């Protein structure tokens, strides 16, 4: 039975959450920068104080108990509140500090991070960013569960309980094989997509959904066949190999066309495109901090799609 006077420490809760997220004591200890025996003792002390088993340990895997699953979100909320308290107490005037688990979708991360991470180091040297690249649906699930604090996603998210901070807008560009009849055009209309073999990212990517919406608006049909790709780089290389054409955000053009054998065609106004945003939980106490991070991302994004 639990000791009614027992009060968990933040170290104990961090140990529990880390083990729950990684399902591995060694990985969890490395993330928290503590030894594995220290982590194990913190978790054991928490379980003893609560009078319930939170995880099942074996030599090969870690499983969550029913009690652990029920208490995990409360542990995350407690840690988030504590981190928010620390941030608020610091006044924020001297710069942002502490860990920040930031999610980015795959059609943003490779193009924004090379400029964003150095910018964050310069502007907020005490900030400790942890990067999670994943698809929109999974990032939103991680945001809801507390596994990440914020995410860079295409807006609108249509998700309840979150705040969307617009970052920047960018247009889509049509990537074609070098020498293609549309190569070099700057006056395309969406009707140019009709009868083109349009290659798509695999299901779950928001860029795939955005491209399909544009195709439907002019009754264009994507390329037939079994070609599938989980990264924009792979789709673009399929274009270079003559398998079709594809739409990419402007921020990706310089990187993805650097290897040659590719052409670029642009749309006339109004150009199709997307708006990127920073999304965080409405219940978070770190709104001011996220606003500062959003300003940094906006500045980087503006430079990439200019």
């Amino acid at each position: 039975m639990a000791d009614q006077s027992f009060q968990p420490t933040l170290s104990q809760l961090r140990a529990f959450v880390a083990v729950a997220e990684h399902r591995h004591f060694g990985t969890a200890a490395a993330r928290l920068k503590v030894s594995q025996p220290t982590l194990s003792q913190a978790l054991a002390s928490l379980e003893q104080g609560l009078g319930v088993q939170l995880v099942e340990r074996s030599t090969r895997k870690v499983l969550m108990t029913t009690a652990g699953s029920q208490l995990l979100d409360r542990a995350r909320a407690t840690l988030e509140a504590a981190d928010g308290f620390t941030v608020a107490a610091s006044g924020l005037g001297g710069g942002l500090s502490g860990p920040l688990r930031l999610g980015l979708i795959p059609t943003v991360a490779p193009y924004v991070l090379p400029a964003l991470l150095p910018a964050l180091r310069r502007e907020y040297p005490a900030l400790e960013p942890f990067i999670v690249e994943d698809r929109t649906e999974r990032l939103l699930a991680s945001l809801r569960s507390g596994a990440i604090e914020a995410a860079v996603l295409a807006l609108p998210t249509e998700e309840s309980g979150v705040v969307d901070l617009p970052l920047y807008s960018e247009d889509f560009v049509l990537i074609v094989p070098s020498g293609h009849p549309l190569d070099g055009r700057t006056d395309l209309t969406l009707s140019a997509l009709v009868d083109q073999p349009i290659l798509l990212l695999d299901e779950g990517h928001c860029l795939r959904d955005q491209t399909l919406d544009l195709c439907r608006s002019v009754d264009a049909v994507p390329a037939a066949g079994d070609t599938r790709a989980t990264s924009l780089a792979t789709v673009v290389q399929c274009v270079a190999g003559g398998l079709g054409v594809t739409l990419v955000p402007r921020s990706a053009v310089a990187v993805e066309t650097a290897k040659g054998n590719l052409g670029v065609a642009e749309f006339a106004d109004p150009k199709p495109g997307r708006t990127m945003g920073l999304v965080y939980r409405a219940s978070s106490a770190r709104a001011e901090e996220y606003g500062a991070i959003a300003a940094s991302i906006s500045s980087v994004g503006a430079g990439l799609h200019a």
Side-chain angles (χ1 to χ4, degrees), residues 64-179:
M64 297 293 294
T65 65
T66 300
S69 298
Q70 292 175 345
L71 291 172
L72 180 57
D73 284 347
R74 290 182 180 272
R76 284 173 172 151
T78 300
L79 292 174
E80 183 174 329
D83 290 340
F85 177 83
T86 302
V87 169
S90 71
L92 294 178
L96 307 181
S97 63
L100 175 71
R101 294 168 295 181
L102 179 65
L104 300 98
I105 55 177
T107 57
V108 168
Y111 318 112
V112 168
L113 288 178
L116 177 61
L117 290 177
L120 292 179
R121 281 196 297 269
R122 289 193 306 269
E123 297 171 23
Y124 312 112
L127 189 68
E128 301 176 52
F130 296 90
I131 301 303
V132 177
E133 182 187 55
D134 214 330
R135 300 179 186 184
T136 298
E137 183 178 350
R138 295 184 60 170
L139 287 178
L140 286 172
S142 295
L143 193 63
R144 288 192 299 269
S145 70
I148 61 174
E149 279 83 48
V152 178
L153 306 172
L155 300 182
T157 61
E158 298 181 353
E159 182 83 2
S160 62
V162 302
V163 176
D164 297 344
L165 295 180
L167 297 173
Y168 58 87
S169 296
E170 61 179 341
D171 53 286
F172 292 147
V173 175
L174 188 67
I175 302 299
V176 300
S178 181

Side-chain angles (χ1 to χ4, degrees), residues 236-257:
V236 171
Q237 288 309 304
C238 288
V239 173
L243 301 186
V245 303
T246 196
L247 288 172
V248 304
R250 181 170 292 278
S251 58
V253 172
V255 172
E256 298 301 346
T257 61

